[in-house]
Amino acid sequence: MDTATCDVVVDSAPAVVTQFRFAPLAYYLHTPSTSQKDWHVICGLPLTAIWLYAPPSADSQPNDWKIGLELSRGDIMTLELYDTETSAGSVLLIRPLITDAPAETRIGYSKLTEIRAACIGRPIKGEVALFDIITKLKATNLLKYQLENGRGRRHWILAVLTEIHDFMRTPKAVNSLAKESDELMRSCWVAGGLRLKGYGFEDEPANPLTIAPGSLQVPQIFIEK
């Protein structure tokens, strides 16, 4: 696949990302363990599980929710809607679970359980790869989704989980990951996996949260504006 690289600022630090030409709004972050060459390999590896997780909230504001994709070799790559604060706007940022891990280090579920305040997941069917996930998000225009005044990340996550539902193994008696995630993200989770009541942005009711949309119309299943 044809690729290019570009310089960006990620978490207030200069960084380099790889872009595949078929989906340039997906940014693959270069780290000690993920070079441009590595991303070519990672995109084709089978996935075994998908996770929605968030580290503890330190200020009773909505948690920093991310999607984690577990590779067959054991490590986890995360997906998030990231505001570049440039003309590119909001992009899909893909990076390892721990970005400063040494080269060849593969950090997976055991580390996820250490850093998360809340987490939920599903196994992935068959030979689905990261490339398939990105292709699906491009086809459904979710790579063009834009934040509005910093809002819309949770809304975007629910849309993503809805669109890739068929890639997951979900028992018949169990709700979809999107529906369970909707409920999970309407609470604030702090250290120790504790759930707080009565929090949110100023325009949100105390509980449940109003999950605000961004600027692109997306599937409304399980989503309340």
Side-chain angles (χ1 to χ4, degrees):
M1 292 181 285
D2 290 338
T3 59
T5 61
C6 72
D7 298 324
V8 296
V9 174
V10 175
D11 299 337
S12 302
V16 178
V17 297
T18 285
Q19 298 167 278
F20 290 92
R21 295 191 187 280
F22 84 97
L25 290 179
Y27 284 19
Y28 301 79
L29 185 67
H30 290 198
T31 73
S33 63
T34 53
S35 65
Q36 184 177 27
K37 181 179 179 181
D38 294 322
W39 281 119
H40 277 270
V41 174
I42 290 169
C43 282
L45 292 176
L47 302 173
T48 58
I50 180 171
W51 305 98
L52 174 73
Y53 76 96
S57 171
D59 54 7
S60 298
Q61 289 296 304
N63 296 82
D64 182 19
W65 295 98
K66 296 181 182 180
I67 295 172
L69 296 176
E70 188 170 351
L71 304 175
S72 57
R73 66 188 191 184
D75 46 341
I76 292 177
M77 301 296 144
T78 67
L79 278 62
E80 62 188 285
L81 191 62
Y82 188 84
D83 186 359
T84 64
E85 299 182 359
T86 69
S87 59
S90 305
V91 300
L92 170 58
L93 181 64
I94 307 160
R95 53 178 154 180
L97 180 64
I98 303 297
T99 57
D100 58 357
E104 303 302 322
T105 301
R106 295 174 182 174
I107 297 176
Y109 181 72
S110 61
K111 185 63 176 180
L112 179 62
T113 61
E114 294 178 15
I115 65 175
R116 60 95 175 108
C119 179
I120 190 171
R122 293 286 188 277
I124 295 289
K125 296 177 180 177
E127 293 296 309
V128 176
L130 176 57
F131 175 82
D132 300 306
I133 301 292
I134 302 305
T135 300
K136 181 68 171 180
L137 299 187
K138 179 188 177 184
T140 54
N141 282 328
L142 286 174
L143 296 184
K144 296 181 179 179
Y145 191 97
Q146 295 294 304
L147 296 171
E148 291 253 341
N149 299 317
R151 303 284 294 277
R153 287 181 177 85
R154 290 172 293 167
H155 194 278
W156 176 82
I157 285 173
L158 293 179
V160 169
L161 296 179
T162 298
E163 289 295 345
I164 64 176
H165 171 76
D166 289 343
F167 291 148
M168 307 176 205
R169 292 176 180 166
T170 304
K172 291 183 179 180
V174 176
N175 287 327
S176 72
L177 183 58
K179 183 173 179 58
E180 292 190 4
S181 297
D182 188 357
E183 298 171 358
L184 195 71
M185 291 192 293
R186 292 176 187 274
S187 294
C188 175
W189 299 85
V190 296
L194 299 177
R195 183 199 303 245
L196 296 184
K197 294 182 179 180
Y199 96 108
F201 291 109
E202 292 182 358
D203 63 334
E204 295 178 337
N207 197 20
L209 296 176
T210 297
I211 295 182
S215 60
L216 183 69
Q217 293 298 315
V218 293
Q220 299 296 305
I221 301 174
F222 309 129
I223 302 171
E224 296 179 13
K225 291 186 177 180

